[in-house]
């Protein structure tokens, strides 16, 4: 009786009502998008009588086999891969160095990695264009010129992930232990830092991946056709295919991030996905 | 020091140099220093853009932030289905990053002129379009932005809400404090830095959001980032580059102030919750 | 002035009964420890007095009057938690001041009282520090001062020392005892550390599975435990394999005795304190010494008896001759010994 009263008490009713409303807000758009993609009946002629008719996965198939979709997905995947690679190459050494030898520069590094929050994509693109167009004109015409922008743009997230990893593994103590046994810097970096930083690198990689696969502003400003910019194109000509593709992109990023959060939870690590 | 060189050069070439170029060109007009374009960027239509972007930022930050805080408090108090908490954590990480084109499409399918919910509501006698609701206008942007603002706030304030120790509440109670007095003297002061930092971050997030606004208004919106693009890339009016740069400068100033405040507040938070 | 009385208090959770017809009286001005293994209901008992949890049956009386219907904020008791209870947004001084403010003490009087308390806990020079700038021991001192600020009739402490380093713990333990005696405040002190309980308390209440096993002054608790659980939980005790001869007649290490309790089994373990074993050198002796440790006043010898490790404590003066490997004879003083299941 006591229990029953507790469950139906006013506070609980409010709590669950609140959660249900939020769930509706978050899932109805996805469901609506799925309906649009997979039901051939337009909204205007939809009624109670034909609600269960006209369902087909045709749009999904069309999306998966669309040559434009395949080509732009390949480009976006390449960009994501290169972004992650370049991030590790330029960021890992300095992050490790500062953590071990130059703690006093840490606030500066932290602040610098926050700068991309500050400068809107359009400013970077225009600024870079003003410098590069006259000097190295071929640079901005290549789709891979997006990589440096993406490295910058994911920096707040990737740096925080790597920094948390370095702090957790106790890089400084590890360094003292390793060098006291006569290991060189390079050896220490490859044999101690990298293996111990695997989880943090995975976090940085997955976050960067999800961000790049959804990035629109830079690609659109530099007139490059990546998966997100192609979504706008295909939605104009074949709306249902566009919606199916968009849904797919959303679900795949959600899946990746969800798996990451879950993997981290089992290792007792909290994900900082705020980038601040 | 050599290990830092690639990073420093990279930041210099792709971040600092372009940014300085933009800042410089907003005040270096026709071969002399002048604030004319900066002033112009804060007048007329451009001023309206800033007002609109700021309003959107403040409104979605207040609504999204408040809902996010309530969600964080509810989530720490709900123990019953155990999976709920981990699901919320995972989902928020996902949803806070789900801006962009796909999100805009999802809302078009739900609340656009041909949206399913629009149709259902109309069937039920509520014609939201005749009430002036449109995804291509302010009211619509607010709804869509909340989709990533709420989970972002949840992620920012959750650690602080979880860090509220039950001992504080009990210690206050046994000293004779009412629940209201506890929240006034301890609970809110402790949470406040995180909450304010969260609201500011949401403001920054909204101010800078580009893709969602672009897709919702087919590129013709009056929000600041879209205006800047219109001036700098539209090639409609030549010789207006300095004006575009000035709009960027103002944007940077607004975001910079917010970020500095966030940083200050976060330092305070980490002190209180670390012990 | 402030006597606390538990009368048949029962508190049930979904799966456990945290307090089971718990009876206990704490006299005015007395410091009573609640001692027992983790999960035995100590915190539950304390929190019932504080008013944070309601009980299913029974009552708690303050000077003979039920406090069941008084909310915790109105009880006016002082409480110190294990850790982390200081308000993080207030300095040491402000934490103490807050307690006085809540009791509507006038500004002048508040100032004076804060000074007094900072002197008592010896933290004048750290008064303007925030909790995160204080050590664990300093934080607990401030928590104590805050709890005592309004001169409560009853002080409740829930393992206040268990999160501290050993030397800080001993020092703060003595300080708590001094202040408590000086103020003559009725105090309940929860701990799972028997040394701490024995050291600080007027009387120690040993608990097990939510009920009271025994309450006595420390020496009696040690010398005359009323059941095997208390005997085993308080102080060191040997468990030596024993055989039953008849009814409660048992034999251990070649010596027969009447067990203090009933145990229906052919074999059992006799509970014998280390100082109740006399050791004498004897080349023909049945046992041999396996370890000798000098502990100051006493010296501890270790032997094997019937397959069990047994220790004997001798006054050091009389134990100088023992070496590892020496053969010895044992004389167990088995008077009033308990036996328990093997
Ligand atoms: N809120 C609760 N819900 C369910 N069981 C509880 C709760 N609080 C305590 N218990 C149970 O009650 C018993 C006594 O707990 P407690 O008084 O905290 O023990 P102690 O302080 O002696 O370690 C334990 O078995 C514990 O698991
Ligand atoms: Mg306890």
């Amino acid at each position: 009786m006591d229990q029953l009263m507790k469950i139906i008490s006013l506070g609980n009713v409010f709590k669950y009502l609140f959660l249900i409303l939020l769930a509706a807000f978050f899932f109805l758009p996805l469901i609506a998008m799925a309906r649009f993609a997979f039901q051939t009946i337009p909204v205007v002629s939809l009624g109670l009588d034909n609600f269960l008719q006209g369902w087909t996965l045709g749009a999904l198939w069309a999306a998966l086999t669309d040559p434009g979709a395949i080509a732009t997905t390949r480009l976006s995947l390449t960009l994501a891969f290169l972004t992650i690679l370049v991030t590790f190459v330029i960021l890992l050494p300095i992050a490790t160095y500062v953590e071990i030898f130059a703690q006093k520069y840490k606030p500066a590094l932290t602040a610098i990695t926050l700068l991309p929050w500050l400068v809107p994509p359009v400013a970077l693109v225009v600024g870079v264009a003003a410098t590069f167009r006259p000097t190295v004109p071929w640079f901005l015409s290549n789709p891979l010129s997006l990589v440096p922008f993406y490295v910058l743009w994911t920096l707040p997230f990737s740096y925080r992930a790597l920094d948390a990893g370095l702090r957790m593994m106790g890089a400084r103590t590890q360094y003292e232990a390793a060098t006291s046994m006569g290991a060189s810097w390079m050896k220490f970096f490859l044999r101690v830092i990298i293996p111990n930083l695997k989880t943090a690198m995975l976090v940085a990689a997955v976050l960067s991946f999800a961000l790049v696969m959804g990035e629109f502003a830079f690609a659109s400003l530099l007139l490059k056709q990546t998966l997100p910019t192609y979504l706008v194109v295909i939605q104009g000509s074949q709306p249902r295919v566009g919606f199916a593709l968009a849904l797919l992109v959303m679900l795949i990023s959600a899946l990746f991030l969800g798996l990451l959060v879950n993997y981290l939870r089992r290792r007792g690590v909290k994900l900082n996905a705020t980038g601040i | 020091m050599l290990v830092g060189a690639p990073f420093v050069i990279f930041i210099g070439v792709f971040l600092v140099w372009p940014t300085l170029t933009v800042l410089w060109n907003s005040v270096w007009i026709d071969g002399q220093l002048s604030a004319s374009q900066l002033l112009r960027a804060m007048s007329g239509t451009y001023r309206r853009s800033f007002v609109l972007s700021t309003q959107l930022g403040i409104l979605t930050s207040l609504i999204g932030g408040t809902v996010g805080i309530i969600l964080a408090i509810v989530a720490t108090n709900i123990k019953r289905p155990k999976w709920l908490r981990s699901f919320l954590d995972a989902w928020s990480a996902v949803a806070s990053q789900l801006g962009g084109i796909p999100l805009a499409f999802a809302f078009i399918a739900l609340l656009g002129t041909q949206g399913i919910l629009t149709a259902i509501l109309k069937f039920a006698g509520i014609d939201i379009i005749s009430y002036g609701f449109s995804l291509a206008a302010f009211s619509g942007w607010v709804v869509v932005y909340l989709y990533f603002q709420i989970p972002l706030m949840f992620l920012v304030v959750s650690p602080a809400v979880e860090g509220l120790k039950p001992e504080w509440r009990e210690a206050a109670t046994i000293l004779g404090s009412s629940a209201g007095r506890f929240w006034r003297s301890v609970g809110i002061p402790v949470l406040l830095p995180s909450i304010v930092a969260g609201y500011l971050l949401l403001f920054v997030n909204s101010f800078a959001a580009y893709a969602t606004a672009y897709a919702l208004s087919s590129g013709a919106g009056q929000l600041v980032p879209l205006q800047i693009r219109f001036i700098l890339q539209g090639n409609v009016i030549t010789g207006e580059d300095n004006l575009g740069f000035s709009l960027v400068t103002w944007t940077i100033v607004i975001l910079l102030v917010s970020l500095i405040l966030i940083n200050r507040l976060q330092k305070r938070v980490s002190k209180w919750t670390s012990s | 002035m402030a006597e606390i009385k538990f009368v048949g208090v029962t508190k049930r959770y979904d799966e456990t009964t945290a307090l089971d017809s718990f009876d206990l009286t704490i006299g005015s001005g007395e410091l009573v420890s609640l001692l027992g293994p983790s999960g035995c209901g100590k915190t539950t008992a304390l929190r019932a007095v504080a008013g944070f949890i309601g009980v299913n049956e029974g009552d708690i009386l303050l000077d003979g009057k039920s406090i069941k219907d008084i909310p915790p904020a109105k009880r006016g008791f002082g409480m110190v938690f294990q850790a982390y209870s200081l308000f993080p947004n207030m300095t040491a001084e402000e934490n103490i001041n807050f307690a006085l403010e809540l009791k509507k003490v006038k500004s002048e009087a508040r100032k004076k009282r804060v000074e007094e308390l900072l002197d008592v806990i010896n933290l004048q020079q750290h008064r303007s520090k925030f909790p995160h700038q204080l050590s664990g021991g300093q934080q607990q001192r401030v928590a104590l001062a805050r709890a005592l600020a309004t001169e409560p009739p009853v002080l409740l402490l829930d393992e206040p020392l268990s999160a501290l380093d050993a030397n800080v713990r001993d020092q703060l333990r003595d300080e708590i005892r001094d202040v408590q005696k000086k103020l003559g405040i009725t105090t309940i002190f929860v701990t799972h550390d028997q040394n701490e309980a024995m050291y600080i308390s007027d009387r120690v209440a040993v608990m097990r599975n939510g009920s009271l096993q025994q309450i006595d002054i420390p020496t009696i608790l040690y010398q005359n435990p009323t059941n095997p659980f208390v005997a085993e939980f308080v102080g060191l005790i040997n468990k030596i394999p024993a055989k039953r001869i008849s009814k409660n007649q048992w034999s251990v290490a070649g010596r027969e005795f009447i067990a203090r309790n009933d145990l229906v089994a052919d074999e059992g373990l006799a509970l014998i304190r280390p100082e109740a074993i006399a050791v004498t050198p004897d080349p023909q002796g049945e046992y041999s010494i396996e370890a000798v440790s000098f502990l100051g006043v006493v010296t501890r010898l270790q032997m094997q008896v019937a397959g069990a490790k047994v220790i004997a404590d001798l006054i050091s003066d009389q134990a100088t001759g023992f070496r590892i490997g020496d053969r010895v004879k044992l004389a167990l003083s088995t008077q009033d010994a308990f036996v328990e299941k093997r």
Side-chain angles (χ1 to χ4, degrees):
Chain A
M1 194 58 214
D2 206 51
Q3 292 253 317
L4 197 68
M5 288 305 290
K6 245 199 228 156
I7 290 168
I8 60 172
S9 76
L10 208 67
N12 272 306
V13 169
F14 167 76
K15 266 190 240 169
Y16 287 103
L17 193 71
F18 175 78
L19 288 176
I20 288 166
L21 283 176
L22 268 191
F25 177 67
F26 281 108
F27 291 108
L28 283 181
L30 302 183
I31 294 168
M33 183 153 68
R35 193 217 69 86
F36 192 100
F38 303 133
Q39 191 176 26
T40 48
I41 303 168
V43 165
V44 272
S45 41
L46 200 61
L48 289 176
D49 47 335
N50 62 356
F51 196 75
L52 294 175
Q53 293 158 18
W55 289 88
T56 160
L57 287 178
L60 187 63
W61 181 246
L64 287 173
T65 52
D66 180 83
I70 294 170
T72 53
T73 305
R74 192 175 296 148
L75 175 61
S76 281
L77 286 174
T78 312
L79 289 170
F81 174 76
L82 289 175
T83 301
I84 294 167
L85 193 72
V86 174
T87 300
F88 286 163
V89 169
I90 65 167
L91 187 58
L92 259 182
I94 193 168
T96 312
Y97 184 87
V98 168
E99 171 70 25
I100 296 175
F101 301 109
Q103 285 276 332
K104 64 174 180 215
Y105 292 125
K106 197 136 180 200
L109 187 58
T110 309
I112 289 172
T113 57
L114 267 184
L115 287 179
W117 268 107
L118 232 161
V119 188
V122 64
L124 285 179
V125 168
V126 168
V128 169
T131 319
F132 279 61
R133 266 219 185 97
T135 49
V136 265
W138 52 265
F139 177 72
L140 288 174
S141 54
N142 190 320
L144 296 185
S145 61
L146 283 170
V147 170
F149 294 106
Y150 287 179
V151 172
L152 266 184
W153 191 56
T154 53
L155 203 55
F157 300 86
S158 42
Y159 174 69
R160 262 141 210 84
L162 294 180
D163 180 50
L166 282 168
R167 263 181 295 158
M168 216 165 72
M169 70 175 274
R172 247 189 302 183
T173 337
Q174 299 262 8
Y175 177 76
E176 278 155 23
T179 44
S180 73
M181 296 188 308
S184 70
W185 219 97
M186 203 59 202
K187 205 164 192 178
F188 165 70
F189 190 75
L190 294 177
R191 304 282 289 277
V192 181
I193 293 289
I194 302 285
N196 277 304
L197 218 54
K198 268 190 198 140
T199 305
M201 288 167 73
L202 180 74
V203 174
V206 174
L207 283 175
S208 301
F209 174 82
L211 287 168
V212 171
M213 292 309 281
E215 203 290 324
F216 177 79
F218 287 109
S220 148
L221 288 162
L222 285 169
L223 308 172
K224 303 283 178 277
Q225 203 134 99
T226 60
L227 186 56
T229 50
Y230 183 68
L231 280 178
V232 177
V233 176
I234 194 171
Q235 195 254 348
S237 56
Q238 299 164 267
R240 298 208 308 113
V241 180
F243 277 45
L245 199 54
L247 185 65
L248 209 58
V249 172
M250 262 177 134
L251 292 183
I252 289 175
S253 347
L255 185 73
F256 266 86
L257 286 171
L259 284 176
L260 178 69
V261 171
N262 221 344
Y263 170 78
L264 293 179
R265 165 181 294 277
R266 270 186 282 121
R267 317 191 117 217
V269 184
K270 269 224 130 171
L271 174 67
N272 175 359
T274 54
I276 192 113
Chain B
M1 263 288 122
L2 218 60
V3 289
F7 179 80
V8 172
I9 293 169
F10 178 85
I11 292 289
V13 171
F14 289 101
L15 182 65
V16 178
W17 179 250
T19 308
L20 289 181
T21 307
V22 168
L23 295 179
W24 175 246
N25 279 308
S26 67
V27 291
W28 186 253
I29 291 132
D30 295 333
Q32 56 186 31
L33 276 180
S34 155
S36 63
Q37 297 302 315
L38 278 179
L39 291 175
R40 218 182 122 208
M42 269 297 166
S43 58
T45 22
Y46 310 115
R47 186 202 193 94
R48 266 204 297 286
S49 279
F50 274 103
V51 170
L52 196 65
S53 270
T54 307
Q55 281 173 342
L56 182 64
I58 292 177
L59 197 65
T60 62
S61 152
L62 282 181
I63 301 175
T66 308
V67 176
I69 294 167
I70 297 174
L71 182 60
I73 292 173
V74 167
T76 34
N77 283 328
I78 283 192
K79 305 256 149 46
R80 223 88 34 118
K82 262 199 181 145
W83 52 265
L84 188 67
R85 177 76 217 199
S86 36
F87 175 80
L88 270 175
D89 285 347
W91 174 251
S92 304
V94 172
S96 67
Q97 296 308 331
L98 273 186
I101 305 299
L103 180 66
F105 286 3
F107 272 96
I108 290 169
L110 185 73
L111 285 168
T113 44
Q114 297 296 308
I116 179 105
L117 188 59
T118 316
I120 293 172
L121 287 175
K122 190 168 183 181
F123 183 74
I126 309 166
D127 185 0
I128 54 171
I129 291 172
S130 75
Y131 293 153
F133 179 86
S134 164
L135 284 178
F138 195 81
S139 52
W141 300 335
V142 172
V143 173
V144 181
Y145 277 36
L146 288 180
Y147 199 93
F148 49 80
Q149 297 281 58
I150 294 171
L152 183 59
M153 189 67 165
F154 174 80
L155 292 178
V156 174
V157 296
S158 272
V161 171
E162 275 171 49
L164 277 183
K165 301 248 169 7
E167 282 91 344
W168 297 339
R169 179 68 187 273
E170 289 177 350
T173 304
I174 200 139
L175 289 171
S177 162
S178 64
R181 181 69 202 263
F182 165 76
W183 280 105
R184 197 149 42 86
S185 299
V186 182
I188 291 178
V190 171
L191 282 184
L192 202 61
S194 309
I195 291 177
V196 177
Y199 280 127
L200 283 166
L201 183 68
L202 262 55
F203 174 77
V204 168
N205 198 36
S206 151
F207 208 96
Y210 176 89
T212 317
Y214 178 91
L216 287 174
S217 53
S218 310
Q222 315 95 302
L223 293 173
V224 173
L226 298 179
Q227 278 283 349
I228 295 173
R229 180 195 185 142
F230 182 71
I231 293 167
L232 288 177
Q233 282 209 327
N235 294 332
V236 185
I237 324 154
T238 45
E240 288 289 53
D241 280 4
N242 297 115
L243 173 66
F245 293 143
S246 297
L247 291 175
V248 174
T249 302
W250 281 114
T251 309
I252 292 178
V253 168
I254 292 171
L255 299 184
L256 183 65
V257 171
S258 313
L259 278 168
I260 289 175
L261 284 175
I262 292 174
N263 198 272
R264 287 276 165 85
L265 292 163
Q266 285 206 323
K267 269 194 197 132
R268 192 121 157 234
V269 177
S270 62
K271 266 187 204 158
W272 283 351
T273 45
S274 66
S275 62
Chain C
M1 261 227 327
E3 178 203 73
I4 294 280
K5 191 169 187 138
F6 290 82
V7 189
V9 174
T10 297
K11 172 68 188 175
R12 278 183 287 270
Y13 289 110
D14 294 344
E15 279 144 36
T16 38
T17 303
L19 287 179
D20 193 0
S21 309
F22 185 68
D23 288 306
L24 176 67
T25 304
I26 297 124
S28 185
E30 192 181 27
L31 192 159
V32 170
S33 287
L34 300 184
L35 174 67
S38 173
C40 72
K42 307 178 296 283
T43 297
T44 305
L46 196 76
R47 293 168 63 82
V49 178
F52 291 134
I53 50 178
V55 299
N56 299 97
E57 286 157 35
D59 206 349
I60 297 171
L61 312 176
L62 172 65
D63 291 330
K65 285 194 282 288
S66 170
I67 51 172
K68 219 174 192 168
D69 298 326
I70 306 174
K74 295 271 159 60
R75 294 191 184 188
F77 296 168
M79 184 157 176
V80 178
F81 299 80
Q82 189 169 344
Y84 308 124
S85 72
L86 294 182
F87 306 126
N89 57 325
M90 300 181 191
T91 59
E93 183 176 15
E94 286 164 354
N95 263 281
I96 301 171
N97 187 55
F98 185 65
L100 296 162
E101 244 180 72
L102 286 172
K103 287 281 149 60
K104 310 224 157 38
V105 179
K106 292 239 163 53
S107 165
E108 282 295 295
R110 273 209 315 262
K111 254 193 204 130
K112 213 173 124 238
R113 182 80 181 125
V114 169
E115 295 303 322
E116 268 171 37
L117 285 157
L118 285 169
D119 284 336
V120 169
I121 58 170
N122 215 350
L123 280 183
Q124 278 289 5
Q125 70 272 38
H126 301 294
R127 57 191 300 162
S128 327
K129 287 189 179 167
F130 285 96
H132 73 268
Q133 298 166 314
L134 297 170
S135 72
Q138 290 168 338
Q139 288 184 26
Q140 288 302 74
R141 285 214 186 99
V142 177
L144 181 67
R146 186 180 68 180
L148 292 172
T150 54
E151 302 181 335
V154 174
L155 179 63
L156 308 171
L157 305 123
D158 192 355
E159 311 221 11
L161 308 174
S162 63
L164 305 177
D165 294 338
N167 51 349
V168 182
R169 183 158 42 194
D170 291 353
Q171 193 188 343
L172 189 52
R173 178 193 64 196
D174 295 349
E175 286 177 30
I176 291 177
R177 180 55 162 161
D178 287 350
V179 173
Q180 187 271 336
K181 266 203 183 127
K182 199 150 55 187
L183 299 177
I185 178 174
T186 310
T187 302
I188 308 181
F189 185 97
V190 163
T191 179
H192 63 263
D193 179 338
Q194 47 127 345
N195 285 324
E196 200 170 280
M198 302 292 260
Y199 202 97
I200 203 172
S201 316
D202 290 314
R203 290 189 299 157
V204 178
V206 181
M207 291 177 68
R208 179 196 196 182
N209 292 341
S211 59
L212 183 66
Q213 298 290 304
Q214 182 173 359
I215 174 160
D216 259 310
I217 61 170
T219 45
I220 294 196
L221 208 60
Y222 185 83
Q223 289 161 358
N224 193 15
T226 54
N227 66 38
F229 175 80
V230 176
E232 214 185 309
F233 197 78
V234 176
L236 270 177
I237 202 152
N238 288 302
K239 298 181 189 178
I240 312 175
K243 284 200 168 57
R244 189 158 77 136
I245 300 167
S246 64
K247 211 164 172 289
N248 0 350
Q249 186 105 18
W250 291 74
S251 131
V252 62
R255 189 184 170 98
E256 290 183 10
F257 71 101
I258 308 285
R260 191 162 158 200
N261 58 331
D262 297 325
L263 178 69
V264 187
D266 293 337
E267 299 195 327
L269 294 169
L271 303 181
I272 314 274
R273 295 256 184 237
E275 64 274 17
I277 300 177
V279 186
T280 37
D282 180 354
Q284 266 77 54
E286 201 180 332
Y287 309 102
S288 80
I289 292 179
E290 292 181 338
V292 181
S293 354
F294 174 70
L295 303 176
V297 184
V298 298
T299 293
R300 179 161 294 172
L301 307 177
Q302 187 190 311
M303 284 84 44
Q304 289 281 333
V305 176
K309 193 180 85 178
V310 166
I311 54 174
D313 286 349
L314 275 65
I315 303 291
S316 289
D317 288 352
Q318 297 161 11
T320 46
F322 292 105
R323 298 283 176 274
I324 293 177
D326 286 0
R327 313 274 331 157
V328 292
K329 209 167 64 179
L330 300 182
L332 279 56
S333 137
T334 50
Q335 197 193 341
D336 283 341
F338 288 106
V339 284
E340 63 169 45
K341 265 193 292 212
R342 253 195 111 146

